[in-house]
């Protein structure tokens, strides 16, 4: 049984079984990942790339094999296009910082969507660029006609989420890439909410950069990935300086290492990388298409059943959605709903979900958000809906 591979799902909260519906924040970890991490520290711990001894060589080998595994998992052409980072946030900051150094000239514009997580807004603001924003409809669908009008001679890059963490919308990234490329502008896709829930193929998508976080795909926290198309990545200057990213260092002049090491200064998170490797094996054993179909069924079932709760409004009703449901009940505050659900053992997230512009768009302070993963069940959704039916009258 799949659920049995997740020890934390046996936890009881206030004496009730945990119902974990906060997967967009982070997914739980299967035994294979937990064991990969502890096995590394029990049997293999050593610093990689710089040792001649056996442990260092073996850890290096496994670390680098994981790079190849990720390359195949997301359909990249070459493993040198896979840069390890701490997560999506660091991946976006890396691109924003290095891309700006290389291509910005002081009067620059970046196109983002109105439904970005703050980590795909603030790094671009830090470059000094002006942000131009793709609007979205009440349903949470991006307006691609409006996108066409945002391009100017100053547009340097388009940065969009593959899946919105607050609305669940799956954005038409391939179409966005086509539009941007027709204007000669590259595209960064924030895949944090996509990669555990749908098949990702960066070559088919045509994007120039793709960012992801391991902890949202059953892997440990502290490991993430930046995919960069080789031709473009090789043009970017380093992000951080330190060990491993250099070829030769003198006090007068330093030359840099080749891709991808040029972007990986310092000791990497080797144990976490091996955890990510185990997480990819785990997902591939389940089958990405099977996971996507199962979660789509959960989403449809939950959406339908939530219609039974008086006064409940869903934010984000696009036809093409991933397993994220944001909602409010009557005039109640999301925090109150979340707190009452918690008392029944149900974990959801409340607030602006680091997407304040989305909340501003609807004129609300935040939402309650339930988000699904492959171990959630219809029974859990039933319990969630029954809990909301009990809570709703208390709050209205
Ligand atoms: N982009 C999106 C779309 C996200 O949902 C998140 C995290 C990030 C970027 C940042 O990822 P990190 O791993 O670098 O932190 N989203 C959430 C969330 O929805 N609730 O908690 C974290």
């Amino acid at each position: 049984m799949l659920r049995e591979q997740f020890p934390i799902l046996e936890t009881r909260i206030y004496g009730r079984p945990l119902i974990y519906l906060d997967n967009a924040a982070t997914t739980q970890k299967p035994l294979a990942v937990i064991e990969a991490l502890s096995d590394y520290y029990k049997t293999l711990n050593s610093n990689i790339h710089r040792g001649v001894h056996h442990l260092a060589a073996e850890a290096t080998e496994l670390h680098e094999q994981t790079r190849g595994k990720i390359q195949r998992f997301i359909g990249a052409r070459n493993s040198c296009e896979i840069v390890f980072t701490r997560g999506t946030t660091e991946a976006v900051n890396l691109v924003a910082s290095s891309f700006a150094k290389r291509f910005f000239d002081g009067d620059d514009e970046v196109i983002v969507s109105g439904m970005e997580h703050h980590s795909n807004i603030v790094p671009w603001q830090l470059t000094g660029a002006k942000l131009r924003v793709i609007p979205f409809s009440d349903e949470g669908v991006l307006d691609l006609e409006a996108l066409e009008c945002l391009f100017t001679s100053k547009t340097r890059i388009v940065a969009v989420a593959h899946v919105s963490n607050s609305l669940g919308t799956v954005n038409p990234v391939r179409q966005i890439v086509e539009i941007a490329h027709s204007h000669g502008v590259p595209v960064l896709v924030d895949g944090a909410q996509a990669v555990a829930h749908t098949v990702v193929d960066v070559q088919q998508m045509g994007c120039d950069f793709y960012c992801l976080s391991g902890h949202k795909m059953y892997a440990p926290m502290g490991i993430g990935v930046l995919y960069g198309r080789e031709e473009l990545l090789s043009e970017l200057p380093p992000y951080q300086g330190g060990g491993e990213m250099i070829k030769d260092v003198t006090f007068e002049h330093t030359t840099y290492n080749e891709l991808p090491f040029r972007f990986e200064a310092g000791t990497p998170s080797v144990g976490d990388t091996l955890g990510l490797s185990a997480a990819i094996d785990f997902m591939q054993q389940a089958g990405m298409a099977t996971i996507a179909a199962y979660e789509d069924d959960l989403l449809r079932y939950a959406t339908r059943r939530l219609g039974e709760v008086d006064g409940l409004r869903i934010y984000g009703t696009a036809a093409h959605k991933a397993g994220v449901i944001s909602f409010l009940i009557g005039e109640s505050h999301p925090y109150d709903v979340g707190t009452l659900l918690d008392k029944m053992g149900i974990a959801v997230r409340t607030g602006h979900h680091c997407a304040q512009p989305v909340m501003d768009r609807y004129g609300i302070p935040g939402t309650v958000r339930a988000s699904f993963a492959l171990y959630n069940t219809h029974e859990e959704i039933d319990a969630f809906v029954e809990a909301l039916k009990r809570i709703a009258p208390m709050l209205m």
Side-chain angles (χ1 to χ4, degrees), residues 344-360:
M344 301 181 197
I346 301 172
V348 294
R349 186 142 299 236
T350 63
H352 54 58
H353 315 297
C354 298
Q356 270 182 331
V358 173
M359 305 304 139
D360 293 345

Side-chain angles (χ1 to χ4, degrees), residues 22 24-26 86-90 92 115-120 161-166 190-193 212-216 349 353-354 369:
D22 194 19
T26 197
R86 281 196 302 124
T88 302
T89 302
E90 191 177 54
V92 179
M115 60 177 83
E116 295 312 308
H117 187 279
H118 296 164
S119 67
N120 201 21
H162 192 170
V163 173
S164 155
N165 72 315
S166 56
D190 168 355
Q193 294 295 345
L212 59 91
S213 293
H215 72 95
K216 292 184 198 289
R349 186 142 299 236
H353 315 297
C354 298
R369 183 187 69 184

Side-chain angles (χ1 to χ4, degrees), residues 287-302:
M288 285 314 297
T290 308
I291 294 172
Y294 179 72
E295 291 182 2
D296 190 53
D297 173 64
L298 287 180
L299 171 72
R300 283 170 201 283
Y301 181 68

Side-chain angles (χ1 to χ4, degrees), residues 63 87 159 289 294 329 372 393:
H63 181 79
Y294 179 72
I329 299 178
F372 308 118

